[in-house]
Amino acid sequence: EPEVTQTPSHQVTQMGQEVILRCVPISNHLYFYWYRQILGQKVEFLVSFYNNEISEKSEIFDDQFSVERPDGSNFTLKIRSTKLEDSAMYFCASSSDRVPNYGYTFGSGTRLTVV
Amino acid sequence: GNSVTQMEGPVTLSEEAFLTINCTYTATGYPSLFWYVQYPGEGLQLLLKATKADDKGSNKGFEATYRKETTSFHLEKGSVQVSDSAVYFCALSRQAGTALIFGKGTTLSVSS
């Protein structure tokens, strides 16, 4: 079964440093997403990406965040200057646009720890 | 706005007990509804989904029926196992390509 692959699985970074989280979505999916889950809390939407541009973003996704699809396979989330409160599990997801059978497939996540 | 409300956990059951986790939603139009499961230390896995009213999603003995009249999508299983211990998230999507909106999650703990 096709998978969404995320790397690294765990990253520790110093406060103020830039981090890039990487994802390889399912190859025939058109929509890409980033979500985060602070430990013990709900899964929160950050941003969606379609046709090489952001299609939707939440209030969490401020100027410190950016997304990019640098080539035909990778989808990245960059945090420019990490803060302690950015510590969370970050999930990448992708989806097809084919209603009614579309579904969202999530990667296994990157645990980001900011120290 | 669009939102999902799940019953508060944790839910603690003995093996072979009947499970219900309540989920209600608020949305414009006709959203698609999902249940995701997160096992300890792992990511989110799609458990089942329903894309229109009266659809029943099912997988691994779990079922949920899309009830538009009550705006609900309750998760049920007739006989839970220890291996079902996990966090269960109800979610909705307004349409293809839009963000999933999650409930807060319900922790299920099953003991033998």
Side-chain angles (χ1 to χ4, degrees):
Chain A
E1 189 167 332
E3 290 184 343
V4 173
T5 305
Q6 288 187 246
T7 55
S9 57
H10 191 188
Q11 180 149 3
V12 181
T13 189
Q14 297 270 350
M15 190 169 56
Q17 294 296 304
E18 175 184 285
V19 294
I20 298 176
L21 310 183
R22 303 181 190 278
C23 170
V24 179
I26 293 174
S27 60
N28 63 350
H29 282 185
L30 301 178
Y31 298 88
F32 314 114
Y33 313 84
W34 284 100
Y35 291 79
R36 79 172 185 190
Q37 184 183 31
I38 295 171
L39 186 63
Q41 298 187 26
K42 70 187 295 185
V43 179
E44 300 173 294
F45 168 71
L46 294 178
V47 66
S48 60
F49 193 84
Y50 172 72
N51 200 26
N52 286 319
E53 61 183 24
I54 291 173
S55 52
E56 190 178 1
K57 63 181 181 179
S58 72
E59 62 274 12
I60 302 169
F61 194 86
D62 61 21
D63 292 343
Q64 291 298 311
F65 292 90
S66 63
V67 289
E68 192 177 37
R69 189 157 162 80
D71 53 40
S73 60
N74 290 286
F75 178 52
T76 62
L77 174 70
K78 181 192 292 185
I79 308 174
R80 289 191 181 80
S81 178
T82 51
K83 303 186 285 287
L84 294 176
E85 55 264 38
D86 293 327
S87 295
M89 181 73 90
Y90 288 81
F91 292 106
C92 175
S94 67
S95 72
S96 168
D97 64 344
R98 296 179 180 177
V99 178
N101 293 319
Y102 71 92
Y104 300 76
T105 303
F106 283 80
S108 56
T110 294
R111 180 167 296 285
L112 177 65
T113 303
V114 183
V115 297
Chain B
N2 302 305
S3 65
V4 175
T5 302
Q6 286 181 241
M7 62 185 287
E8 294 286 331
V11 174
T12 304
L13 295 173
S14 298
E15 207 165 22
E16 299 184 5
F18 184 84
L19 168 71
T20 300
I21 300 178
N22 290 337
C23 171
T24 57
Y25 68 91
T26 302
T28 54
Y30 300 91
S32 292
L33 302 173
F34 305 82
W35 277 100
Y36 279 83
V37 58
Q38 186 178 34
Y39 297 103
E42 298 186 14
L44 296 163
Q45 299 177 29
L46 177 65
L47 182 60
L48 53 85
K49 67 178 187 281
T51 56
K52 61 182 188 295
D54 299 325
D55 268 1
K56 178 185 283 189
S58 61
N59 186 25
K60 299 181 182 178
F62 291 90
E63 292 183 340
T65 301
Y66 188 143
R67 302 284 189 202
K68 184 138 182 79
E69 64 276 12
T70 55
T71 62
S72 65
F73 192 54
H74 304 321
L75 183 68
E76 296 182 336
K77 186 175 185 182
S79 176
V80 294
Q81 306 299 313
V82 172
S83 56
D84 294 327
S85 298
V87 182
Y88 291 81
F89 292 92
C90 185
L92 72 81
S93 168
R94 289 173 288 113
Q95 63 185 55
T98 61
L100 271 176
I101 298 168
F102 285 88
K104 291 186 176 180
T106 302
T107 300
L108 171 66
S109 178
V110 181
S111 57
S112 58

